[in-house]
Amino acid sequence: MYKLLIVDDEEIIRQGMKTLIPWGELGIETVLTAASSREALRIMEAEEPQLVITDINMGEMSGIEMLEKAYQIIPDLRAIVLTGYDYFEYARDALRLHVQDLLLKPVNEELLYESVRKQIVSLDEKRAVRRSLRASSIQEQFELKSRIQSLLKGRDVDATADSLEAEYRIAPDARFMMAVLVPDVDYAMPYEDRALMYHQLHIFCMGEVDNENLGFTIFDEHSGAILILYSVDACPLGGERTFRELLGLIRSEFSGFLRAAIGAEVIGLRNIALSYQEALQLLNRDDEKYEKELRLPQNLASRNRHFSELFGEMKGAMCAHISNPSKVLKLFDTFFRAADEYGKPDTDVRKGVFRMLSDLYYTCIISGIPVSESFMGQAAASLAVASREDCRELGQQYILHMLTSRENEINKMVADARDYIDQHLADDLTVSEIAAHFFVSANYFSRLFKKHMGEGCNDYIVRKRMEKARNLLTATDLSAGRIASMVGYNDTNYFSMAFKKYFGMSPTSYRSSQRGG
């Protein structure tokens, strides 16, 4: 639960915000109020709220001046600033302080509620981060990399494992798996191009692993290999299947041959070197055999009546919402999540998908929705030999085919995904996160996007980020570091390298060329 401080010199506004918004729904336990900036600072020192809503124009000390002092008291404080039309200069100062939101007075209750909700989501995510091996800064990433490499090399194992377990709240019996990815490259390629390719692959893996709190990735500069420490307990599909999904995405988004292997599951950070050494041994075997050597954790749960009851409820809900394809796809996605959680084998998954499609088919017939007579025969034939992931993708396709004009629906999905990317370029965008937003699998979404857009989703994200960066360099005086963060790059050096690769010159040189410098 969180504490919120409302700062405004007008009592009716303070009390209005305090009483009209259902703060408890947002996880806010305590709502504090202050009539002045000085009173607000005293409350912050005593109560340490995580969130503040403040007016800009207040008597002896403005809201901006107060926030400058407040950040010294509570560095992680999240601020929402309220401003009127007449205080644009103050608004610019608020943006300079990187406040989380700027709302125009008189404030709309729904907008304020949504703004606070977003801050609570960010606070929740920040709390969750500390429970996993995820670095929150470049410096922390470097330090964490060094400590994990010490474990892999058998140096100071006990002391390093103890410190990591304490710092990241990791149980001594937590389960881990080490994976290794090695891209095959043409060493005649210029060094800068080769380095950029390695970094692009590393950033992609970080997006799919670190950002999803599934583990921690390391780039080995000497070998060009990417090492992934999977936290098996954080992987709903288990470490091996999660790694296979990552490989599928990489092969959809990147060209070139890739060798990969994953070691067996081990208990505790102290033993990750064992999994790592096994992955290396598998990697060095015949290229045609390495993937067959990957190990599957044998921890699937038995079937039980709870899953049967849940499955029946999902089938009923899907049939009840045949007029809403997005809802049906969401329920279908829930089925796969439940099947993974309950450890259902592939044969049960195939049967479950067929039964869902059968019920949808007959519901369509009864409801007068035209469906081909050969539909179920085709579905049965394709599902009979399909893998678990293929069942998921086939099911999604069959649902779209039954309930919509499939091509129109897919075009709309891709167009919506494109718009979503354009609006979130500053965020940590990953193919998996975007696909989940539309309730389809990442591999299926990746192929659809490439087919309809003519380029991979990851390539599209890079292109749009580069185009936005180019426009900002031309039209503003913002620093390269600030522009990098605005287009989704936390590492300025990596941003500069990517920009030079894309446009043939560094950001600084590009700006000078556009201004005749």
Side-chain angles (χ1 to χ4, degrees), residues 212-390:
E212 298 298 323
N213 287 329
L214 301 179
F216 183 74
T217 59
I218 295 173
F219 174 57
D220 186 337
E221 293 85 353
H222 301 295
S223 65
I226 293 172
L227 316 180
I228 303 176
L229 173 60
Y230 277 112
S231 174
V232 178
D233 299 308
C235 299
L237 306 179
E240 189 271 343
R241 283 191 53 209
T242 300
F243 184 52
R244 284 189 183 276
E245 285 206 343
L246 175 64
L247 291 181
L249 282 175
I250 291 173
R251 287 167 180 147
S252 296
E253 296 292 328
F254 294 88
S255 59
F257 185 69
L258 185 76
R259 293 189 298 125
I262 190 167
E265 180 182 305
V266 296
I267 303 298
L269 284 172
R270 287 168 175 78
N271 296 314
I272 61 173
L274 298 175
S275 184
Y276 175 56
Q277 290 299 324
E278 183 170 21
L280 291 180
Q281 291 172 10
L282 296 173
L283 198 67
N284 291 328
R285 294 185 183 180
D286 190 306
D287 288 344
E288 295 180 356
K289 296 179 180 178
Y290 77 89
E291 197 168 55
K292 297 178 183 178
E293 301 292 341
L294 296 177
R295 283 165 166 71
L296 175 63
Q298 301 298 320
N299 61 349
L300 301 181
S302 61
R303 299 174 65 183
N304 56 66
R305 63 182 180 83
H306 296 289
F307 180 82
S308 298
E309 292 171 359
L310 181 62
F311 177 66
E313 291 173 3
M314 285 187 289
K315 280 201 308 172
M318 290 171 75
C319 293
H321 290 88
I322 58 171
S323 61
N324 187 345
S326 294
K327 178 71 173 179
V328 175
L329 282 172
K330 184 175 182 180
L331 287 163
F332 187 73
D333 181 68
T334 302
F335 161 72
F336 269 86
R337 292 178 183 275
D340 290 330
E341 182 178 342
Y342 280 84
K344 308 306 290 183
D346 291 358
T347 52
D348 285 0
V349 169
R350 281 194 289 269
K351 292 176 184 177
V353 172
F354 182 78
R355 289 170 62 190
M356 284 180 164
L357 293 176
S358 296
D359 284 12
L360 283 173
Y361 174 79
Y362 289 111
T363 302
C364 288
I365 297 298
I366 294 171
S367 303
I369 299 175
V371 186
S372 169
E373 292 182 2
S374 62
F375 177 83
M376 288 311 301
Q378 294 172 354
S382 57
L383 290 172
V385 295
S387 67
R388 191 185 193 92
E389 189 57 31
D390 286 343

Side-chain angles (χ1 to χ4, degrees), residues 115-140:
S115 178
V116 174
R117 187 193 66 79
K118 290 179 180 178
Q119 309 319 314
I120 296 300
V121 169
S122 296
L123 288 167
D124 286 341
E125 290 176 347
K126 188 169 184 179
R127 283 185 173 180
V129 161
R130 300 307 295 174
R131 300 191 186 102
S132 64
L133 282 169
R134 180 177 173 185
S136 59
S137 67
I138 294 175
Q139 179 61 31
E140 186 179 350

